[in-house]
Amino acid sequence: GAVVSQHPSWVICKSGTSVKIECRSLDFQATTMFWYRQFPKQSLMLMATSNEGSKATYEQGVEKDKFLINHASLTLSTLTVTSAHPEDSSFYICSARDRDSRGDTEAFFGQGTRLTVV
Amino acid sequence: AQKITQTQPGMFVQEKEAVTLDCTYDTSDPSYGLFWYKQPSSGEMIFLIYQGSYDQQNATEGRYSLNFQKARKSANLVISASQLGDSAMYFCAMREGIGGGNKLTFGTGTQLKVEL
């Protein structure tokens, strides 16, 4: 299957700092990327849908000013957690859809980023 | 209402046995897709199998098969000949509508443990 690379795989940052997470589609172009958050032993919760060249669509309850999403190219979307606090500690994972795929095919996931805010 | 329901928080199965992981869904959209993903402790999401709402036959991928019962709105995953490496969290997910931009909604997952 197609490859989605997410970086970094883990990060520890101090409270109040910002952290950027990258999601890259390595062998396909992705017009749409999704960002999810997962707390321990819980399900994936969609945070936002990122469309290339336009503003991201955030799910209800997700602060757009805190979780900045940029999708400047067909192969890269970034999630920046601004002014991070300990409650932002979580597992963040992205997925991407192949622009040329049929509508009913899978979304490919990155490896995920484990964020710890201390 | 929950769109995806997985009622088994944890399951045990003996090696080489088959196991069924339950998933029911709720949608009014006639076009939808159902997915199963495996998430090992490393966190990555591994795609296992897909079933489209208009597919006439149950999907199969190697040791994985999807028991799709449309009238009952269930999409159970069957893993045959379980292996120790199958121990992981399994998520059922649904995409409503047809389109590359439609999001996936996940169930709460089932933790599968394969024992010797």
Side-chain angles (χ1 to χ4, degrees):
Chain A
V3 178
V4 176
S5 176
Q6 189 171 337
H7 177 81
S9 55
W10 62 271
V11 58
I12 301 173
C13 72
K14 289 185 177 180
S15 187
T17 61
S18 296
V19 174
K20 180 185 285 188
I21 302 169
E22 293 186 348
C23 181
R24 291 180 185 274
S25 56
L26 296 186
D27 53 358
F28 66 97
Q29 294 184 320
T31 51
T32 304
M33 290 186 175
F34 303 89
W35 287 96
Y36 295 85
R37 182 175 183 175
Q38 185 181 29
F39 290 107
K41 301 191 185 299
Q42 294 190 24
S43 186
L44 279 70
M45 299 301 295
L46 181 68
M47 298 175 66
T49 302
S50 168
N51 295 298
E52 187 266 337
S54 64
K55 290 184 179 180
T57 303
Y58 289 82
E59 294 298 300
Q60 190 173 9
V62 177
E63 299 175 61
K64 59 181 68 176
D65 293 332
K66 180 166 187 61
F67 299 100
L68 301 179
I69 291 173
N70 184 279
H71 193 161
S73 77
L74 284 171
T75 59
L76 174 65
S77 177
T78 60
L79 167 67
T80 301
V81 182
T82 63
S83 187
H85 291 285
E87 56 265 31
D88 298 325
S89 298
S90 188
F91 186 69
Y92 295 86
I93 190 165
C94 69
S95 73
R97 299 287 316 285
D98 188 335
R99 181 184 65 170
D100 298 323
S101 70
R102 295 182 305 154
D104 59 354
T105 55
E106 63 177 291
F108 300 97
F109 282 82
Q111 305 94 320
T113 298
R114 200 164 301 279
L115 171 63
T116 302
V117 184
V118 297
Chain B
Q2 293 288 335
K3 286 188 176 286
I4 294 285
T5 302
Q6 294 180 253
T7 58
Q8 306 154 313
M11 288 282 286
F12 289 90
V13 64
Q14 285 202 313
E15 195 181 21
K16 301 179 184 176
E17 297 284 307
V19 63
T20 298
L21 306 184
D22 294 342
C23 174
T24 57
Y25 60 92
D26 181 30
T27 181
S28 57
D29 196 320
S31 302
Y32 54 89
L34 298 159
F35 302 77
W36 277 92
Y37 285 87
K38 172 184 177 182
Q39 186 180 42
S41 56
S42 57
E44 62 195 294
M45 294 290 284
I46 303 169
F47 168 75
L48 297 178
I49 197 166
Y50 166 83
Q51 180 85 44
S53 60
Y54 296 115
D55 293 345
Q56 295 295 313
Q57 293 186 322
N58 286 347
T60 60
E61 289 285 350
R63 294 188 298 112
Y64 305 108
S65 61
L66 200 152
N67 185 0
F68 182 45
Q69 298 189 38
K70 196 170 183 177
R72 295 180 58 188
K73 293 190 175 180
S74 73
N76 298 340
L77 176 70
V78 180
I79 305 175
S80 62
S82 298
Q83 302 172 356
L84 294 178
D86 293 334
S87 294
M89 193 73 163
Y90 288 80
F91 290 99
C92 180
M94 176 174 66
R95 174 186 296 128
E96 293 176 279
I98 294 177
N102 293 353
K103 64 184 182 183
L104 290 178
T105 302
F106 286 85
T108 51
T110 296
Q111 182 72 49
L112 177 66
K113 175 73 172 175
V114 181
E115 301 174 314
L116 289 170

